[in-house]
Amino acid sequence: MYERIRAPAAALDTILQAKLHIPTIPTGYVARPRLLAQLDGAHQARLSLITAPAGSGKTTLASSWARAQADTVAWLELDPADNDPVRFWSYLLHALHGPEPAGVAPLLSALRAPQPPPLEATLAALLNVLAARPAPLAIVLDDYHVIEAPAIHRVITWLIDRLPPQAHLLIVSRADPPLPLGRWRARGQLCELRVHDLRFTHEEAAAFLIGTMGLPLGMDAVAALDARVEGWAAGLQLAALAIRGSADPAARIAAFSGRHEYVLAYLVDDVLAGQLAYVQEFLLRTAILDRLSAPLCDAVLGVGNGDAAIPTSRFILDYLRESNLFLVPLDDEGGWFRYHHLFRDVLRHRLRQTDPPCVPELHRRAAGWYAAQGLLDAAIPHALAAGDHLGAVRWIEQAVDEALHGGNIAPLRGWLAALPAALVGARPRLAVGQLWLRFILGQNELIPSGIDALAESLAAEPDGDAVRSVEEQSWLRAELAALRAQRALHLGDLSETLAQCRAGLAVAPAGALRTRGALELLQGTAVRNAGDLAAAATHFHTARDLAEQGGGELLLLYVSNNLADLAELRGQLSVMATEHARMRRLSVDASGQPLPLAGMALIGMGKVARERNDLEAAAALLAEGIDLGRRSAISGIVIDGLLVLALVRVAQGNVAGARAHLDEATTLAERWHPATIGVRVAAFRARLALAAGRLKEAARWAVGASARVAAPSSELGEIEQLTLARVWLAQGRAAEALGLLARLAQAARRSARHGRLAEILALHALAQQAVGDGTSAAETLAEALALGQPEGYVRIFADEGVAMGRLVLCVAAQVSSGQARGLRADYLAVVQEACAEPHGLGTPRSSHDQLVEPLSAREQEVLALIAAGCSNQEIADRLIISVATVRKHVENIHGKLGVQSRTQAAARARELGLA
Amino acid sequence: MTSLTLPPDRQRFRLRVRGQLPPDWGDWFDGFSLAYTPDGATLLTSPPIDQAALHGALATIRDLGLYLEAVIPVTPDSPGSYPAKR
C-alpha cells in the first residue's frame, strides 16, 4: 500500500521487494544439515521458532532452508515501522502474493481501496485461500523481535491457532515473542531452535575458518577460538576478518583468548582498524542507512564530483561483499544491500563517538537522494532523523493533494504519525490530509476538534515558512467547508451540509477541480437525501464535468457510483446499467486488479438484468460480483449480491439454491454487520418462505415486522414493508395491505422514485383485486406498467406469479379496446408470459411443504429407491421401466429438489419425509 | 527493598553483563554508569528509571548480543560499585 504515490513503480517496488527477498546465501556458507533437518521435520508443527542473540546465524539458517523450498515460501523481513498493524498485514499479504498470487491479489487490492474491509475479514479470507492450497506453504517472519504492538501479537496468535495443515509459520527473533508458546509446545505444535542449537560446533567452525576464510589454522587453534566466542557466528566471522593477513594467526588467537574484553566491541574495532582509511569512512558513514545502493552511498558520501582518487561506492560495495564484511544482498541483481544489523549498530555507535556533528548532514543527503527518486516513504524518515521537520513537512504536503486525488491516502497515515502533533496542527495542508484520513479510518471522535483547530489556524496569521498565496488560502477554506459538509452529512444535518457546500463553492479557486467536484458530490448527496432526485443528478453531473477536467479518477468513480444508485432509485434501468458499466471500468487499481467497487458494479448490472427478466445473465453477473466481494473480503458487497441472486434462483425454480444463498448472507450479516443488515436479510428470508409455501414461517416474521411498522418512529425499510404487504396478501389480510401500500406509494410518488413506485403499485393492484375492486386494480396496474414499460421492468410483475398474470391480461384487454396509457401490446405480452412461467415468488403453491413443484407419484417412487441406495439399473428392474426413463425421472427429481447429486436427493427426500 | 527517597515507580538497577565493555559504550545506555568487576564482567548502574526504561536497557543488551548475567535493584544499603578498571 506504499507504492505509487509519486514514484516510478519499479523504483518503489525495490524497497518492498527488499523486505520480501529471501536473503542470498553468502558465498562459502557453511552448510548445517543437523539444523536444516530439524526445520524440515517441523511440518506437523504450526510454528517453528528460531530464537538466539544477534549474530548467531539465524537469518542465514532460515534463508538457506527457505531457498531449498522451491516456490513455497513467503518471506518478510520486519523493521520497527511495521508495528503499525495496517502496514504489517499489508506487507505480509505482499509477501504471500509471491507464492499465492491468485488468492491474495484481491485481498491486497481491497486493503488499498478507499474503504478497506475489517482486518479480521481479510485474514479469515486469507485462511480460506491457504486452506484451498494443494501445496504446502511456509511464512517466514524475520526479526520478529522488533514487533512490540500487542495488536499484532494477538492476531498472529489467532492466525497460528487457525492455520490449515499445509501452512507453517517460521518466526526468527532475538527474543521469545510474547505468544502462547507453552500451549503450542504442550500440543507438539512448536519446533524450536535456540542459542545452544545455533552455536558453531568445532567442526562447523573449522569448515568456516579454514574452508571459507582460508585461514591456515590447526584444529587446536580453531577449538580455542570457537570456545572464546562460544560458537557465536558473528564472533567467528569478525575474528577471522581481524586475523586474516596476520603473519601468525594462531598466536593472535592465543593472545585474543586470554583477554576479558567484550568480543564484539573488541573485534569490530580490530576489523575496522585493518581496513584502508576510505573503507573505514565508507563503513561508518553509510551505516546510517538501512539499505544501501551504490548511487545512494555516493550521495551520502558526497562523492561523484569527478574525484578520481576516491573509489566509487560500487567498487567498495563489491569489495565488502567479496571480503565477507557483513554486507547482506537484498536482491539477486546486486543493486541493494544492507549491513548485518549488529555490525550496523556498532558502526553507528562508532560514528556517533567519532564524528557526531556529521550525522544530521548524512541523513539530510540520504533524504535528498530518496526524494529525488520520488521515494518519499524512504526520504521522510531520514529527513525526520536529520531533525529536518520542515523538509519532511513539505514533502508530505506535496503528497496530500495527490493522495486525495488518487484515493491512496493510506501512506499519509504513517508519515503524519511520525510528525509532532503541534507541527501537523500548524500546517493546514497536513491537517486537511489528516482529517480526510480520519473520515476514511472512521476515527469520528477526533474529527470535530481537528476541524475546529484547522479553522483556527486558517484564521490566524501564517508564520514564516507557511506564508500562503491568496489562492492557497482560498483552497484551504474550500477544503475546510468540504470537511464540515462531510461531518454534517454524517450527522444527518442536511441544511448544514448544503450551507457548507455553497460556502465552499463560493470560495474555491477555479483551478481546484477536485475540491469543487467533492463539494458538488456532497451537495448532490445531501439534496438526494432530502428527496430531490432530479436536482441531485444535476450536482452529480457537474461533479463529473469537474472530474473529467482533471479532478481525478477517484472522483470520477464516486460520481458513477452515485449516479448509478440514483438511477436505481428513479427507476432508470438503462442509466443504471450504463453507470455501473462505467464504474466497473474505472474500478481498477494501478496494477490492473479490480477494486472492490467493481464487485458493486457487477451486482448493479446483475440487478438490471434481473429486472428485465434476463435471469441467466443476471445470475452470471451477480456470481462474478459476489466472487469479487468474497475474494476482497468485503462482506457488504457479498450480502448485497446474495440477496439479489436468491431472488434470481427462486425465479429459476431453485428454492434450495436460494436458501443456501440466504444462509450465507445471514452468517455474514451476523458476523460482520450491525443489526440493520440482519433485519434486511430476514425480510428476504420471509419472502423466500412465502415463495416456498412456508406461510407459517413468513407469518412468524411478519408478527415482529408489523410491531416495528406500528412503532411511532418506524425505522423499518421499504423492502421490509413491501415484504410485509406480500405476507398479508398471502394471509388474506388484503385490507391491511391496502393501507400500508397506499402510504408507501405516496412517499415514492412524492420523491419520483419510479422503480419502487411501480413495484408498490403492482402489489397495490393485487390488494385491490383481493378486496374485490377489479376496476381500481386494473387502473393501478396500468399505471405501474406504464412506469415499467420505458425501462423494460418485468420481474416486478412476474415475481407475483399467476394472480398478477391474470390482472395483466385484464389491462391488456383494456388496451386493445383503446383505453391506453401508451402501453404497448408487445410489452404486456412479455410481462404476461413471464407471470405465467411456473416459478413466481408471490403465489404460494406446493403439495409437499417446501417444494416449488410437487413430485409426481412415479418420481416419488424413484426417489424412495434412490434414498434406499439403488442404482439406476436396479430401479429400472424394480419398476419395470427402461434405464433411460429412470435417468429422465432422476433428472426431473434433481431439478425439482434443487440438488446436484443422488446423495443430496436422498438427504432432501428424508427431510421431506418422502423416504 | 525500595528506596524511601524515590517515587515508587522509579528505581535504580544494576545490570551485570559478561565481558568488559569499552568505556565509551556507556552511551548505549542513557545515563548509566559503567564499572568492571575483578572477575571480568561489566556492571551497568542505572539512574532512577521506570519499568519501561529498564525494558529498553534490556532490549539494548539483547540487541548488542551481550550476555546478561544478573539484574538487581539498587537499594541504599547495597554495596557500592566496583572501581573502574582504567
Side-chain angles (χ1 to χ4, degrees):
Chain A
M1 59 198 295
Y2 292 84
E3 304 96 317
R4 298 182 188 89
I5 287 301
R6 310 177 52 249
L12 260 174
D13 281 346
T14 308
I15 289 178
L16 176 63
Q17 289 311 320
K19 285 176 73 74
L20 310 186
H21 180 256
I22 303 176
T24 316
I25 303 165
T27 40
Y29 151 78
V30 175
R32 310 184 78 182
R34 63 187 175 95
L35 300 176
L36 293 174
Q38 286 199 49
L39 287 175
D40 281 336
H43 276 310
Q44 300 88 327
R46 289 162 188 267
L47 173 66
S48 290
L49 185 62
I50 305 181
T51 45
S56 298
K58 299 183 295 294
T59 300
T60 306
L61 175 65
S63 63
S64 68
W65 177 79
R67 287 202 165 234
Q69 308 299 311
D71 291 329
T72 56
V73 175
W75 182 284
L76 175 59
E77 185 206 317
L78 298 163
D79 56 63
D82 301 333
N83 275 294
D84 173 359
V86 171
R87 189 173 169 130
F88 179 94
W89 294 108
S90 151
Y91 277 150
L92 187 63
L93 285 176
H94 273 290
L96 285 161
H97 184 258
E100 191 56 57
V104 172
L107 296 174
L108 263 177
S109 157
L111 269 197
R112 281 192 220 108
Q115 311 255 316
L119 179 61
E120 295 77 8
T122 302
L123 293 177
L126 175 65
L127 283 173
N128 288 337
V129 167
L130 294 179
R133 268 181 72 87
L137 175 77
I139 303 165
V140 183
L141 298 177
D142 193 12
D143 285 342
Y144 192 81
H145 56 267
V146 300
I147 300 300
E148 290 166 347
I152 294 178
H153 296 313
R154 206 161 46 236
V155 181
I156 283 282
T157 304
W158 182 90
L159 197 67
I160 291 174
D161 277 331
R162 283 163 187 78
L163 275 184
Q166 62 268 56
H168 184 85
L169 194 69
L170 172 58
I171 287 182
V172 178
S173 176
R174 289 178 184 175
D176 278 3
L179 305 173
L181 300 178
R183 182 166 90 209
W184 295 322
R185 206 178 276 133
R187 291 186 194 153
Q189 294 170 335
L190 179 65
C191 161
E192 287 174 278
L193 291 178
R194 308 190 64 91
V195 59
H196 62 267
D197 301 305
L198 282 153
R199 283 201 179 113
F200 271 59
T201 62
H202 292 347
E203 289 70 32
E204 287 169 335
F208 175 70
L209 296 169
I210 302 167
T212 304
M213 300 301 282
L215 296 173
L217 295 175
M219 247 348 250
D220 285 354
V222 168
L225 181 55
D226 195 31
R228 173 65 178 93
V229 300
E230 300 175 74
W232 186 42
L236 283 174
Q237 188 171 343
L238 282 165
L241 289 167
I243 62 184
R244 189 157 60 177
S246 149
D248 187 356
R252 283 203 64 177
I253 290 173
F256 163 58
S257 301
R259 300 170 66 138
H260 275 312
E261 275 100 337
Y262 165 51
V263 288
L264 177 66
Y266 169 77
L267 287 173
V268 170
D269 283 352
D270 228 26
V271 169
L272 266 183
Q275 300 298 326
L276 291 167
Y278 68 80
V279 176
Q280 285 188 31
E281 185 181 313
F282 182 93
L283 286 169
L284 291 173
R285 299 193 157 213
T286 58
I288 64 144
L289 299 168
D290 286 333
R291 297 173 198 88
L292 304 90
S293 75
L296 171 58
C297 292
D298 280 342
V300 167
L301 297 169
V303 297
N305 308 325
D307 186 351
I310 302 171
T312 63
S313 298
R314 161 64 49 205
F315 175 86
I316 301 178
L317 285 169
D318 285 344
Y319 163 77
L320 294 178
R321 191 164 45 142
E322 283 159 21
S323 317
N324 269 320
L325 259 162
F326 294 96
L327 197 64
V328 182
L330 291 176
D331 54 35
D332 288 327
E333 291 77 43
W336 287 88
F337 303 89
R338 67 170 171 82
Y339 289 121
H340 188 284
H341 291 156
L342 184 61
F343 189 61
R344 177 200 66 189
D345 287 348
V346 179
L347 290 175
R348 283 183 185 175
H349 177 253
R350 267 275 151 275
L351 180 67
R352 280 201 305 275
Q353 291 287 323
T354 51
D355 194 3
C358 83
V359 175
E361 175 57 25
L362 297 175
H363 278 295
R364 200 168 294 123
R365 288 177 189 167
W369 185 86
Y370 274 125
Q373 309 298 309
L375 301 176
L376 292 185
D377 201 22
I380 289 167
H382 278 297
L384 293 172
D388 183 10
H389 286 165
L390 278 183
V393 160
R394 273 185 224 111
W395 287 322
I396 300 170
E397 283 181 342
Q398 243 181 310
V400 165
D401 198 47
E402 293 185 45
L404 292 174
H405 242 82
N408 186 6
I409 198 165
L412 293 180
R413 189 182 145 105
W415 300 339
L416 291 171
L419 290 173
L423 191 58
V424 177
R427 307 284 297 203
R429 269 179 178 267
L430 295 184
V432 165
Q434 187 171 56
L435 281 163
W436 285 119
L437 187 65
R438 283 178 180 166
F439 272 119
I440 287 169
L441 298 176
Q443 298 169 335
N444 294 332
E445 69 288 352
L446 296 171
I447 289 171
S449 59
I451 289 180
D452 291 347
L454 175 63
E456 222 166 276
S457 78
L458 284 186
E461 271 307 295
D463 59 342
D465 178 82
V467 171
R468 295 188 284 271
S469 65
V470 176
E471 172 151 351
E472 166 102 355
Q473 182 76 10
S474 308
W475 172 72
L476 286 167
R477 287 192 184 287
E479 281 290 327
L480 174 64
L483 286 160
R484 283 176 163 159
Q486 178 82 58
R487 167 90 186 137
L489 193 64
H490 268 209
L491 297 174
D493 185 347
L494 298 184
S495 60
E496 171 68 7
T497 308
L498 292 173
Q500 288 298 340
C501 286
R502 286 195 206 99
L505 285 166
V507 296
L513 297 169
R514 186 194 53 74
T515 308
R516 287 169 61 206
L519 284 161
E520 290 287 354
L521 194 65
L522 281 163
Q523 197 169 359
T525 310
V527 167
R528 183 199 63 203
N529 292 358
D532 189 345
L533 303 188
T538 311
H539 288 297
F540 292 151
H541 281 290
T542 311
R544 169 170 289 165
D545 289 343
L546 292 163
E548 280 171 351
Q549 289 166 41
E553 292 267 297
L554 186 69
L555 183 58
L556 215 48
L557 180 59
Y558 281 170
V559 167
S560 277
N561 190 5
N562 276 283
L563 279 170
D565 289 349
L566 199 61
E568 184 172 6
L569 282 175
R570 299 172 91 188
Q572 299 170 331
L573 291 182
S574 46
V575 175
M576 191 176 156
T578 316
E579 292 298 343
H580 277 305
R582 199 191 279 235
M583 203 172 131
R584 186 189 176 189
R585 276 199 307 280
L586 290 168
S587 303
V588 175
D589 72 8
S591 60
Q593 274 291 325
L595 290 167
L597 274 179
M600 272 171 73
L602 284 161
I603 287 165
M605 292 159 80
K607 282 181 184 171
V608 173
R610 190 192 84 86
E611 289 296 356
R612 290 175 167 164
N613 204 28
D614 186 351
L615 297 179
E616 269 174 46
L621 286 162
L622 291 166
E624 197 185 338
I626 290 167
D627 185 50
L628 195 54
R630 211 179 263 144
R631 287 188 291 131
S632 317
I634 304 205
S635 52
I637 293 178
V638 178
I639 293 175
D640 202 28
L642 287 170
L643 295 182
V644 186
L645 188 56
L647 294 182
V648 172
R649 292 293 177 232
V650 175
Q652 289 175 325
N654 181 356
V655 175
R659 187 163 48 192
H661 294 321
L662 292 184
D663 284 347
E664 188 184 347
T666 305
T667 310
L668 286 172
E670 280 170 2
R671 184 132 186 230
W672 304 114
H673 293 274
T676 46
I677 304 291
V679 168
R680 215 172 120 222
V681 178
F684 276 80
R685 296 199 81 102
R687 206 169 166 195
L688 175 68
L690 213 50
R694 300 193 307 271
L695 190 54
K696 257 190 205 161
E697 184 186 327
R700 241 191 335 270
W701 170 83
V703 171
S706 42
R708 267 172 288 155
V709 171
S713 61
S714 169
E715 299 243 323
L716 202 63
E718 250 174 10
I719 290 176
E720 290 82 57
Q721 300 196 47
L722 283 172
T723 308
L724 188 59
R726 287 188 176 96
V727 178
W728 282 347
L729 279 174
Q731 288 176 311
R733 296 160 66 184
E736 286 166 83
L738 271 180
L740 175 60
L741 290 165
R743 275 204 309 281
L744 291 173
Q746 201 185 2
R749 202 188 297 277
R750 201 167 44 229
S751 50
R753 289 179 294 120
H754 289 152
R756 186 47 57 74
L757 181 59
E759 185 179 353
I760 297 165
L761 290 176
L763 285 174
H764 199 211
L766 283 181
Q768 287 167 327
Q769 178 79 10
V771 297
D773 186 358
T775 321
S776 304
E779 259 172 43
T780 308
L781 184 61
E783 189 192 349
L785 287 162
L787 288 168
Q789 178 175 276
E791 299 286 342
Y793 277 97
V794 174
R795 267 334 298 173
I796 284 179
F797 308 101
D799 282 347
E800 309 306 330
V802 285
M804 179 62 74
R806 279 195 295 274
L807 209 47
V808 174
L809 270 183
C810 295
V811 174
Q814 289 174 357
V815 169
S816 59
S817 65
Q819 296 167 303
R821 274 175 171 264
L823 286 170
R824 294 192 320 267
D826 57 339
Y827 174 62
L828 295 178
V830 167
V831 173
Q832 200 269 323
E833 199 180 317
C835 293
E837 280 162 14
H839 314 294
L841 281 167
T843 325
R845 78 199 86 195
S846 73
S847 50
H848 308 300
D849 188 27
Q850 306 177 16
L851 287 188
V852 169
E853 256 191 295
L855 299 177
S856 69
R858 191 54 129 185
E859 284 163 356
Q860 289 186 35
E861 282 179 280
V862 173
L863 181 56
L865 291 169
I866 292 175
C870 295
S871 70
N872 282 357
Q873 185 63 58
E874 286 164 347
I875 296 172
D877 294 346
R878 198 77 76 85
L879 299 179
I880 322 175
I881 50 178
S882 75
V883 174
T885 310
V886 174
R887 268 196 219 107
K888 188 83 199 135
H889 283 311
V890 171
E891 201 177 296
N892 289 341
I893 291 167
H894 282 188
K896 288 181 178 180
L897 296 180
V899 298
Q900 314 291 332
S901 70
R902 296 171 85 87
T903 331
Q904 290 174 350
R908 282 288 281 139
R910 279 186 282 276
E911 255 174 57
L912 296 169
L914 295 176
Chain B
M1 279 285 278
T2 49
S3 159
L4 297 174
T5 55
L6 294 170
D9 57 336
R10 294 188 150 227
Q11 169 89 345
R12 289 155 64 93
F13 291 95
R14 185 163 295 143
L15 285 56
R16 183 186 152 109
V17 296
R18 190 182 292 174
Q20 292 176 346
L21 274 112
D24 63 1
W25 277 46
D27 74 342
W28 283 104
F29 304 92
D30 190 26
F32 282 57
S33 66
L34 198 141
Y36 305 119
T37 66
D39 58 352
T42 305
L43 295 176
L44 295 158
T45 306
S46 81
I49 54 173
D50 61 11
Q51 286 287 303
L54 175 62
H55 282 290
L58 293 175
T60 304
I61 286 177
R62 176 196 74 196
D63 289 341
L64 289 175
L66 289 165
Y67 189 99
L68 179 66
E69 292 187 329
V71 181
I72 50 165
V74 182
T75 52
D77 54 340
S78 301
S81 57
Y82 293 89
K85 206 177 178 184
R86 296 185 201 195

